[in-house]
Each structure stands twice: as C-alpha cells, then as structure tokens.
Amino acid sequence: MDVCFITKESLNEIWQDKMQTVAKQSLIVFGFNGMGLVSYKKELNEETEYFQDIARFSKQSSSVVICGCDTDTYGVFRHSAVVADKGKILGVSDMAHAIDDSEFVAGGNFRVYDTSIGKIGVIVAEDLYFPESARVLALCDADFIVCIFKKLDGVMPQIMLRAGAFANGVAMALCAKNYACVADIRGNVAVASSSDVVKAKVKIEKDYHLISSRRRGLYRDFNSGY
C-alpha cells in the first residue's frame, strides 16, 4: 500500500499547487495542519465547506484521505480526524481521552473504517498513550492503524507506536507536525522522516501472539460451585 504523509501543508495548499505530489497514492494522511479548526455550526449553515473539500480531494486523488482537525461543536472543542474515501465522507473520529486540564474534551469511541484499500483504524492525538486504543482497533480487525498527532514533544509517541504495533500485530503509522513514522508488526521503524511530504510503502501483514500467564493457587470456573 502506497501511503503519503503531509506533515506541514494544508489540504488546500496541496490541492491547489501539489496534486502531482500525491498522485497514485492509496492513502493520503494529513496532520492537524490539514484543516485547522472546523465549526460544525458553520458547516451546517454552509458558511464553510471543509468536509466537502476533503470529500472532493479524495475523489480527485482517487485515494483514501485521513485529515486531522480541531472541531467546535457549539462551543465544545475536540481533537478529531476526518476520513474520506474517493468522494465520500466515511466519518469523524474524536480523541476518546481527555488528559489534564484542557479546553479540548473527550469525544466518541474508537472506529475501524472499512475503506476501498482495507480496514483502517484511527487513533487521535494522545489516545496513542493508552494501550487499549490500539488493542481495541486490532481486535476489530484493523489492517492498518493511523494516529493523527499534534506535535511531538519527546520520544514517547514513537515508543507507544512501536509498542502498539508489536503487541497487537498490526502495522501502525503516526503523522504529526513536521514528522511521520511507520512501525511494522515487529515493532521496528520502517519509515521515519521530518520532511514536509513523506512517502512510504506499507506491507499489510498481521501477527497474533499467543499469550499465557502463570496462575498460583486453585482456580475454578466462575459459574462453578465452591
């Protein structure tokens, strides 16, 4: 699968000036630079057309497009990611965890999108720090997991990305401001770059680890009598 990460420029900047850059890519991923702040009120009143833009962009590029944004739901702010597939909006994923004091609140649940190139799970921002995020998407049969991140501060995002890919046997990618990274199912970094546009060939493969735990003492089935 050919994947293109846009780590700096907006969706409209790429659309207007650099469509040849993303030609023939199966999946195009923008960080939060992609759309900026999107107001649902303005979208519904047709004052803005951010969601229509990403749908049109995906149609013109014949690609699946994932684009980060901040959403304003009548004064309630969330970190989000929009997914479009060849002219159709498939949905919006919100960050499911709120960390410390922030104006951005927790949103909806995790989701795996059934796209024309396979099943893609989406993690938004700091949800990457919670191991259950990747676990849930892997259990929902995601072929590939994409994390849209704000801006890297330290090495923890890459560590969690690699750990998630290894622990769940699903390749994972991260797109942030001025950085993109792909981790394979062995936890190795397959691609990592701070370029404005990062292209990668991602091999869709899965691995399931058989895990056993040592138990001490006598255990019986929960429903059995004692």
Side-chain angles (χ1 to χ4, degrees):
M1 179 170 61
D2 293 316
V3 185
C4 182
F5 302 94
I6 311 297
T7 69
K8 183 178 179 181
E9 294 171 290
S10 69
L11 182 144
N12 282 329
E13 287 173 331
I14 294 294
W15 197 355
Q16 293 172 10
D17 303 322
K18 297 182 179 180
M19 278 301 289
Q20 72 280 2
T21 304
V22 298
K24 299 181 180 179
Q25 300 298 301
S26 307
L27 173 63
I28 303 171
V29 183
F30 290 83
F32 281 90
N33 49 285
M35 289 195 295
L37 179 64
V38 179
S39 166
Y40 281 115
K41 180 179 179 180
K42 291 182 178 180
E43 287 286 294
L44 291 172
N45 291 336
E46 299 183 352
E47 297 176 40
T48 60
E49 296 183 345
Y50 287 106
F51 288 175
Q52 289 187 42
D53 283 346
I54 189 173
R56 294 185 188 119
F57 182 90
S58 69
K59 183 176 182 179
Q60 185 171 335
S61 61
S62 297
S63 305
V64 175
V65 180
I66 303 175
C67 189
C69 63
D70 292 326
T71 52
D72 174 6
T73 310
Y74 295 88
V76 178
F77 296 92
R78 296 184 175 93
H79 295 313
S80 308
V82 185
V83 182
D85 187 0
K86 298 181 180 178
K88 181 180 179 181
I89 297 291
L90 298 186
V92 181
S93 289
D94 299 324
M95 188 170 75
H97 300 86
I99 301 177
D100 299 326
D101 293 329
S102 173
E103 64 176 324
F104 293 94
V105 301
N109 294 323
F110 301 106
R111 181 175 173 183
V112 173
Y113 294 87
D114 195 356
T115 75
S116 58
I117 60 173
K119 295 180 180 180
I120 300 178
V122 176
I123 294 175
V124 181
E126 281 80 6
D127 282 348
L128 181 63
Y129 294 149
F130 298 84
E132 64 267 23
S133 303
R135 185 65 173 168
V136 166
L137 296 172
L139 289 173
C140 290
D141 203 28
D143 297 316
F144 185 47
I145 298 174
V146 176
C147 176
I148 307 299
F149 210 84
K150 274 281 189 179
K151 183 179 180 181
L152 268 64
D153 184 15
V155 299
M156 190 54 65
Q158 190 190 79
I159 291 173
M160 295 303 296
L161 186 82
R162 296 175 64 182
F166 172 76
N168 298 294
V170 179
M172 294 180 62
L174 180 146
C175 186
K177 184 177 180 180
N178 298 323
Y179 183 78
C181 177
V182 177
D184 64 23
I185 62 172
R186 287 160 289 279
N188 298 321
V189 175
V191 175
S193 176
S194 57
S195 299
D196 295 348
V197 178
V198 181
K199 293 184 178 180
K201 286 190 176 293
V202 176
K203 182 179 180 181
I204 300 300
E205 55 182 343
K206 295 183 180 181
D207 187 25
Y208 299 93
H209 302 290
L210 297 177
I211 301 172
S212 61
S213 300
R214 179 185 177 189
R215 290 185 173 186
R216 299 178 64 184
L218 177 64
Y219 285 82
R220 296 184 181 180
D221 183 78
F222 181 78
N223 294 318
S224 64
Y226 284 88

